[in-house]
Amino acid sequence: MSDVRISRRAALVGSGAIAAWLSSPARALVQLAGEARTPAFINELIGRMTLEEKAGQLQLMASAWGGGAALALNPPQGNSDFSKQVEEARQGQLTGVFNGNGATMARIMQTAAVRESRLKIPLIFAADIFHGHRTIFPVGLAEVGSFEPDLARRTAEAAAFEAAGAGIDWNFSPMVDVARDQRWGRGIEGGGEDVLLGRLFAAARVRGFQGNDLKSNEHMLACIKHFAAYGAAESGLDYNPVDMSEERLREVYLQPYKAGFDAGALSAMSSFNEINGVPSTANHWLMTDLLRGEWGFKGFVVSDYTSDQEMVDAGFAQDGREAAKLAFLAGVDMSMQSGLYRQHLPELVRSGAVPQARLDESVRRVLTVKAMLGLFDDPFRRIDLKRETARSMLPQTRALAREAGRKAIVLLKNEGDLLPLPRVGKRIAIIGPFAAGAHDLVGPSVMYGDDSKAVDLATGVRLAIGEPGSLIIVQGSGVEEPLPGGIAQAVAAARQADVVVLAIGESAVMSGEAQSRTEIVVPEPQQRLAEAVAAVGKPVVVVLKHGRALALEGAVADAQAILATWFLGTETGNAIADVLFGAYSPSGRLSASFPRASGQEPYYYAHKSTGRPNPPGDLQPYKAHFRGIPNSALYPFGHGLTYGKIAYSDFTQSSPRLAMNGTIEVAATITNNGTRAAEEVVQLYAHDRTASVTRPVRELKAFRKVALAPGQSQVVRFTLTRNDLSFYGRDGKLTVEPGTFDVWIAPSAESDGVRGSFDLMA
Ligand code: BGC
């Protein structure tokens, strides 16, 4: 960060503010600093700040502007508080606000800060832009199923283009928590169950949000969250404690955070959970020793929403003052929403409980990032009313949402090649609570997007088929409660139809924060609907809506075709129709395993073997499985069919041995024996047979998406080195041990594909 230079200020917007800014001390310092390095300029500014102003730079609050849907995530505060909040900005008691309402609000607040506050330090405007700003893309978990990190970079970049155009400097995203328990509701926001995908998508999203130039008004600061291991909440209950070995923490859960920081993210958010008895928000080892010491992080850390204050109820801090002290001294630079830092830090410094130098250090981190965002050059660089509208939901952005939507859909099952459906000549009944209507399209945790601007399934299908008049739409059931007469209507519709599309699953409120489920099934009234419709005997395509992997049962599991479509956002109906009618051959893969039953959770493919694995075949007594259920997935991670017929053959490897400093190449021939073009995600898995710390049964090491015309074959090659085979030893250090490794080139984590093995030599 010491390399950062303060550039000449860009054109200022807002005439009153310009005059004040030109004569402000902060402006003078920028001028004075000229081409000087950031610390000199920031240090001079810090030298002029009171303790209260310093604490103010470390206090972030939810926007009090009551103007619209933006307050959906956190409790609205009402219009009346807004003038009070503007006054706080004027008094230097705020570093910025989050989840506000666009350029209008930002301009009022920024004007107060840079025109009327003593030191004219610009505010920073933050927001939760998880999967799109106004144009909503597929939820994180769905997008990861594309196995195309560059797609995530592109959607993040498009989200930044819209959001930064609406006055947002800082995005509370990406959420990169590895989630291996589908009961947890927040897996939907992240990168799924796998470490490699988690890393690649974390980095891609950071690059998309931040771009190459943090000062650009088309980009914004990324925030890696929730640090750390939030996704490992005990029993999948949101906010629950985490208790785990350092090896597992390092090898699995910490990896995507690290990848996000390595990609350049300059902020992090502490998580709500504790790790081994210590809340993350007060965890010095995590926030300072590891993050800054070992990983060299140079940005700043913000608490999650009141997570400092919550340490009192967690039984870790006596009161707010102690909570503020513990969080701050652990390395959490900024407090979100509790108000504890501005309330207690000045006194904590005066009493000697917090060293003044530590306070200055955190203020320096925050101001330096504000400078890197260009806010000292031009506090209004992202605030422009015209731009906010001009950039919103452009055709090319919607086209990207449709592309991402199609690529996120996973074809779980397609008996008798029921899909794709013909565009003409078949009477289609779309039945279920998600058949039609502007609801449950953009998904949970959306601040600025809007179901009313999204395409529902019925509309998408109508646009795609040749005979829209023949389409039958029946709701059949509510999401979690039956609809009087619904099943009878659905059965009648199924009788009239040649094929049924059953649009069932979870509503948007069933996943996201604080939405853990004990049974991860299709809700009972919809299951009954599915049974009744299936009994009619027409071919059934299940189109699932869901925020997590589900345990499918009965008629849902037995349907001839099943599409996992998650929450796809603005272009939901069009994307699904593209796949249903074959304009696009499905290429998505599961980013989270679908278990056979809820009770298997946490179920993930990269589990350990145990000393009593059940051999392939029937269940055997006293082997590791639940009563009556194999210890495997119904649809494992990586699974997904295409409209081609893909075969794996001819495994080859360059040698039976891998020298410690050498490379080994493994390859397979992938053939499309079908009559339709397909894109296959070819996956490479490895397993270390014996090690000083037992290893997972398989781990994804690489993958490649290949396009295959009908009849086409392609040899897909992967190169492995010892780095791909390393793991964290009992001393918490990365190690690699000689021995025998199995490798699979396969279409999913639990399919055989083709395989071989080699010895890593000492
Ligand atoms: C969530 C964060 C979010 C914050 C601000 C918290 O409840 O855990 O992910 O960024 O609220 O809305």
Side-chain angles (χ1 to χ4, degrees):
M1 210 179 273
S2 57
D3 286 343
V4 177
R5 287 164 189 278
I6 301 296
S7 69
R8 298 253 161 235
R9 130 192 180 282
L12 283 173
V13 187
S15 54
I18 297 177
W21 170 249
L22 287 173
S23 58
S24 77
R27 161 74 186 149
L29 283 168
V30 174
Q31 235 168 12
L32 197 135
E35 291 300 300
R37 288 171 191 277
T38 304
F41 146 65
I42 299 294
N43 285 337
E44 277 185 85
L45 190 51
I46 291 172
R48 299 166 55 92
M49 294 170 79
T50 64
L51 280 181
E52 281 69 20
E53 283 164 336
K54 289 176 184 174
Q57 280 307 308
L58 305 180
Q59 191 64 60
L60 185 73
M61 299 301 280
S63 161
W65 176 273
L71 296 171
L73 259 195
N74 300 120
Q77 317 227 336
N79 264 327
S80 57
D81 289 332
F82 184 62
S83 51
K84 186 167 160 261
Q85 193 161 64
V86 174
E87 183 55 26
E88 287 171 0
R90 216 172 268 131
Q91 296 304 321
Q93 293 169 357
L94 268 184
T95 196
V97 294
F98 63 96
N99 292 344
N101 229 14
T104 309
M105 181 216 75
R107 180 190 279 211
I108 298 170
M109 295 202 70
Q110 194 68 299
T111 303
V114 302
R115 193 204 288 182
E116 292 151 15
S117 74
R118 194 177 77 88
L119 290 175
K120 319 285 191 270
I121 298 174
L123 296 171
I124 188 169
F125 297 99
D128 290 296
I129 314 288
F130 296 170
H131 52 285
H133 178 247
R134 300 253 184 232
T135 309
I136 304 299
F137 301 102
V139 291
L141 184 62
E143 190 181 61
V144 169
S146 68
F147 276 59
E148 213 180 290
D150 198 56
L151 178 69
R153 185 195 58 74
R154 289 162 62 213
T155 61
E157 186 146 54
F161 178 75
E162 284 188 352
I168 295 163
D169 307 298
W170 177 22
N171 188 8
F172 293 155
S173 188
M175 180 280 210
V176 304
D177 307 319
V178 173
R180 295 184 155 186
D181 191 327
Q182 300 304 316
R183 292 171 295 181
W184 194 51
R186 295 196 78 172
I188 188 171
E189 296 169 33
E193 70 176 60
D194 181 62
V195 176
L196 176 63
L197 281 187
R199 277 173 24 209
L200 294 172
F201 277 79
R205 288 176 173 148
V206 168
R207 291 199 185 101
F209 291 137
Q210 295 196 161
N212 294 326
D213 176 11
L214 261 189
K215 288 191 168 71
S216 148
N217 71 26
E218 297 185 3
H219 291 98
M220 54 191 177
L221 176 67
C223 182
I224 297 297
K225 72 183 188 185
H226 307 82
F227 195 58
Y230 183 39
E234 206 169 81
S235 68
L237 176 62
D238 206 6
Y239 316 125
N240 240 4
V242 171
D243 203 310
M244 75 166 59
S245 68
E246 191 176 327
E247 296 94 82
R248 176 168 290 202
L249 194 61
R250 285 182 179 274
E251 194 164 299
V252 177
Y253 289 90
L254 292 181
Q255 293 284 330
Y257 307 111
K258 173 80 162 56
F261 296 128
D262 288 348
L266 280 171
S267 77
M269 189 185 292
S270 74
S271 58
F272 285 125
N273 56 285
E274 64 172 58
I275 303 177
N276 303 342
V278 180
S280 297
T281 302
N283 197 321
H284 190 276
W285 174 78
L286 195 63
M287 297 298 168
T288 298
D289 302 346
L290 179 86
L291 182 59
R292 294 191 184 277
E294 212 177 295
W295 292 359
F297 176 66
K298 299 277 189 260
F300 67 86
V301 180
V302 63
S303 76
D304 200 349
Y305 196 95
T306 64
S307 69
D308 44 9
Q309 175 69 50
E310 289 167 25
M311 294 196 293
V312 176
D313 277 342
F316 196 77
Q318 262 175 26
D319 51 24
R321 180 183 183 274
E322 193 184 16
K325 182 180 117 183
L326 290 171
F328 187 75
L329 290 178
V332 173
D333 302 292
M334 185 186 286
S335 161
M336 188 201 298
Q337 191 58 14
S338 64
L340 289 188
Y341 277 19
R342 70 177 172 205
Q343 195 183 337
H344 295 294
L345 276 180
E347 181 276 322
L348 283 166
V349 171
R350 281 191 191 101
S351 69
V354 164
Q356 163 95 36
R358 264 298 291 113
L359 182 68
D360 289 355
E361 181 60 35
S362 288
V363 174
R364 187 174 303 116
R365 288 171 186 155
V366 170
L367 294 182
T368 304
V369 173
K370 283 187 175 181
M372 293 176 81
L373 283 163
L375 293 172
F376 283 97
D377 296 348
D378 176 2
F380 296 91
R381 68 192 316 133
R382 294 183 184 81
I383 305 172
D384 180 332
L385 280 174
K386 283 206 194 96
R387 206 191 285 139
E388 177 168 17
T389 318
R391 285 190 188 172
S392 179
M393 302 195 85
L394 297 178
Q396 61 267 35
T397 319
R398 290 193 76 133
L400 178 60
R402 185 166 180 166
E403 177 192 342
R406 294 194 300 226
K407 288 180 169 172
I409 294 171
V410 186
L411 177 60
L412 296 179
K413 183 179 182 186
N414 195 17
E415 269 175 22
D417 290 337
L418 176 60
L419 293 178
L421 299 174
R423 286 169 192 276
V424 286
K426 289 248 188 259
R427 206 163 156 75
I428 300 170
I430 311 184
I431 298 174
F434 307 112
H439 62 92
D440 298 297
L441 301 169
V442 299
S445 313
V446 170
M447 303 298 297
Y448 306 95
D450 195 345
D451 274 333
S452 71
K453 297 197 179 63
V455 181
D456 67 343
L457 179 57
T459 306
V461 170
R462 251 184 224 115
L463 290 169
I465 61 176
E467 300 148 348
S470 70
L471 197 64
I472 311 167
I473 310 284
V474 171
Q475 186 184 341
S477 171
V479 177
E480 294 185 88
E481 59 298 306
L483 192 70
I487 289 193
Q489 280 171 5
V491 166
R495 286 207 180 105
Q496 285 177 51
D498 300 311
V499 58
V500 173
V501 173
L502 204 50
I504 55 174
E506 298 183 306
S507 58
V509 296
M510 291 171 72
S511 48
E513 187 173 346
Q515 301 304 327
S516 300
R517 295 184 70 195
T518 52
E519 302 292 332
I520 52 168
V521 294
V522 170
E524 212 246 319
Q526 295 183 68
Q527 184 70 36
R528 265 192 277 138
L529 173 72
E531 302 296 341
V533 167
V536 175
K538 301 291 173 66
V540 173
V541 181
V542 168
V543 173
L544 286 174
K545 185 175 284 293
H546 48 125
R548 51 168 65 73
L550 296 174
L552 307 180
E553 301 173 321
V556 178
D558 293 341
Q560 284 90 328
I562 307 176
L563 287 173
T565 74
W566 319 92
F567 291 89
L568 296 178
T570 304
E571 292 289 327
T572 297
N574 287 331
I576 297 175
D578 286 344
V579 170
L580 275 178
F581 299 99
Y584 184 79
S585 177
S587 62
R589 299 302 170 113
L590 288 182
S591 52
S593 300
F594 273 50
R596 297 173 186 276
S598 302
Q600 281 177 280
E601 292 297 319
Y603 183 84
Y604 48 96
Y605 82 90
H607 60 78
K608 300 287 183 85
S609 163
T610 80
R612 293 185 177 192
N614 197 81
D618 292 343
L619 299 183
Q620 295 187 7
Y622 294 95
K623 297 293 183 189
H625 57 76
F626 292 97
R627 283 178 66 88
I629 292 188
N631 188 24
S632 62
L634 182 61
Y635 294 112
F637 170 87
H639 172 74
L641 304 175
T642 70
Y643 289 156
K645 292 249 170 310
I646 307 297
Y648 285 62
S649 66
D650 304 313
F651 179 87
T652 60
Q653 59 188 58
S654 55
S655 162
R657 281 173 295 280
L658 168 60
M660 197 41 102
N661 291 317
T663 59
I664 186 169
E665 187 187 270
V666 294
T669 303
I670 317 298
T671 306
N672 180 3
N673 292 318
T675 55
R676 289 174 178 273
E679 277 183 289
E680 175 69 4
V681 179
V682 182
Q683 300 155 47
L684 174 71
Y685 293 93
H687 167 60
D688 185 347
R689 282 193 197 164
T690 314
S692 58
V693 175
T694 58
R695 307 299 305 141
V697 293
R698 280 198 201 185
E699 287 174 288
L700 184 68
K701 294 298 175 188
F703 56 86
R704 197 151 309 140
K705 207 176 198 178
V706 293
L708 295 168
Q712 193 187 347
S713 282
Q714 197 174 318
V715 177
V716 175
R717 299 170 201 283
F718 297 100
T719 302
L720 287 166
T721 71
R722 68 161 185 218
N723 288 341
D724 298 302
L725 309 173
S726 61
F727 63 93
Y728 283 89
R730 268 175 288 186
D731 57 0
K733 299 220 165 64
L734 209 54
T735 182
V736 62
E737 292 175 358
T740 304
F741 290 81
D742 298 308
V743 282
W744 292 260
I745 299 177
S748 84
E750 292 181 7
S751 60
D752 285 338
V754 290
R755 60 181 294 183
S757 60
F758 61 85
D759 290 328
L760 175 65
M761 309 306 288

